[in-house]
Amino acid sequence: MQAHVSIILPVHNAEPWLDECLRSVLQQDFEGTMELSVFNDASKDKSGAIIEKWRVKLEDSGVHVIIGGHDSPSPRGVGYSKNQAVAQSSGSYLCFLDSIVGCQVRRDPPNSTERYTRWINQLTPEQLLTQGVPEDLLFFYEHLRKGGGVIRVDQSLLLYRYHLRAATHSVLEATIWTHRVHFLEEQALPRWAAFTIWNAGKQGRRLYRSLTAASQRKVVAFCDVDENKIRKGFYCHEDSQERPKPRIPILHFRAARPPFVICVKLDLTGGAFEDNLRSLHLQEGQDFLHFS
């Protein structure tokens, strides 16, 4: 019988955490039909034996278990494993056990990435589209391109572990940056004839240099609160092939005009930046977007 929900679980050398993870599946209070689709990505520890042990317990409780995998010398990656687990599943809905988009989270250890955890748990449903940076970035972007929406349950339903072997650490920051810039230019910037980059420092200049020439020409100014940057008066794009080289004005944020692409990290200024932003009475998504 086709399951209503398929829980998607990619596994690679997860022995220290797998018992607790699979116990959480057994303890779910979902009342519909549910299956667990596991793909073991060349684990060399005891992950396979733990999965088999829990298969009996789960199926005795009415949860159908599908196990796939391979024992090649090297793993093929979390994306490949998720795709394989999805392909072998039968549910009408997919629940990615390692996804952090759909709810608030608890961190383990509790004091790891405190600012990130505080930020993600305070996002409103509207901010998920403008600030959210989910772990499965390409999946998320493709979902939005196809007209999908995003809804978050405002309850802490996930224990999100932080450790040095996590797949998150294998993704280069430059790769994430490139995809985010591309999505910004594809989905947001075409709506604006001109815009201001909020941050005349390193991140703001990096964003400007990462844009296509057409998008760069839409940048009418940088804005900031740093008097030294404002006093200089402009940013010159030295690597530009244009002659004369573009000089972008640097203004105080109160002298700049929206819309803004904001390249300032939240929760780092003791609330000063957030107070400045609120004082302008801007509407998120229409007057500004976060890129930080």
Side-chain angles (χ1 to χ4, degrees):
M1 180 176 67
Q2 182 176 359
H4 190 63
V5 171
S6 294
I7 298 174
I8 304 301
L9 179 60
V11 172
H12 173 68
N13 290 346
E15 180 183 346
W17 314 283
L18 200 49
D19 276 311
E20 186 177 0
C21 174
L22 293 172
R23 185 177 297 111
S24 75
V25 177
L26 183 64
Q27 294 174 343
Q28 292 302 307
D29 58 6
F30 177 65
E31 296 180 354
T33 55
M34 184 170 64
E35 70 179 13
L36 174 67
S37 180
V38 184
F39 190 84
N40 188 355
D41 186 20
S43 294
K44 306 306 180 188
D45 60 3
K46 297 179 181 178
S47 291
I50 295 172
I51 293 167
E52 289 294 341
K53 177 186 70 176
W54 279 95
R55 179 212 287 263
V56 177
K57 297 180 181 180
L58 289 164
E59 293 194 335
D60 284 347
S61 297
V63 179
H64 180 50
V65 179
I66 308 162
I67 301 174
H70 67 96
D71 57 0
S72 302
S74 300
R76 297 176 185 173
V78 64
Y80 174 85
S81 301
K82 288 180 182 179
N83 288 339
Q84 295 302 308
V86 169
Q88 69 189 18
S89 69
S90 67
S92 301
Y93 296 92
L94 304 177
C95 178
F96 290 89
L97 188 52
D98 67 337
S99 175
I100 62 173
V101 178
C103 65
Q104 294 187 3
V105 303
R106 292 177 294 120
R107 271 295 208 189
D108 181 33
N111 61 349
S112 61
T113 63
E114 289 181 290
R115 190 181 69 85
Y116 174 78
T117 304
R118 186 165 55 249
W119 165 72
I120 196 171
N121 282 341
Q122 291 176 348
L123 289 175
T124 66
E126 293 77 18
Q127 288 172 326
L128 288 174
L129 293 175
T130 58
Q131 296 185 34
V133 188
E135 185 178 56
D136 305 291
L137 197 61
L138 296 182
F139 178 89
F140 178 74
Y141 284 167
E142 191 62 25
H143 171 69
L144 295 180
R145 289 187 182 105
K146 293 182 181 297
V150 180
I151 298 174
R152 190 182 69 167
V153 177
D154 284 322
Q155 299 177 38
S156 181
L157 303 177
L158 181 70
L159 177 65
Y160 186 49
R161 298 188 185 279
Y162 180 85
H163 58 89
L164 295 179
R165 290 162 52 190
T168 299
H169 299 298
S170 67
V171 182
L172 296 177
E173 187 275 338
T175 300
I176 297 174
W177 177 273
T178 298
H179 285 299
R180 293 187 66 211
V181 170
H182 179 71
F183 191 77
L184 178 73
E185 293 193 295
E186 175 190 298
Q187 298 293 320
L189 297 188
R191 307 197 309 261
W192 296 343
F195 65 94
T196 300
I197 295 178
W198 191 318
N199 186 348
K202 181 178 179 181
Q203 285 294 90
R205 298 194 303 270
R206 181 188 181 192
L207 174 60
Y208 177 86
R209 293 193 300 268
S210 300
L211 297 173
T212 63
S215 293
Q216 287 177 354
R217 286 191 286 271
K218 291 185 176 184
V219 179
V220 294
F222 290 87
C223 71
D224 213 294
V225 296
D226 187 321
E227 292 297 335
N228 291 327
K229 295 184 179 72
I230 296 169
R231 192 177 301 114
K232 181 179 179 180
F234 65 89
Y235 163 70
C236 181
H237 182 28
E238 296 290 350
D239 295 332
S240 174
Q241 300 301 312
E242 296 185 23
R243 294 294 183 272
K245 295 178 180 180
R247 289 192 171 195
I248 314 302
I250 300 176
L251 310 173
H252 189 276
F253 76 91
R254 293 196 183 280
R257 67 176 189 267
F260 299 99
V261 176
I262 297 175
C263 294
V264 178
K265 290 187 180 296
L266 303 178
D267 199 23
L268 283 181
T269 61
F273 166 72
E274 288 79 3
D275 288 343
N276 288 336
L277 185 59
R278 282 191 293 269
S279 72
L280 297 180
H281 304 291
L282 303 173
Q283 182 176 347
E284 188 164 3
Q286 177 176 320
D287 298 316
F288 73 94
L289 294 171
H290 278 279
F291 194 90
S292 57

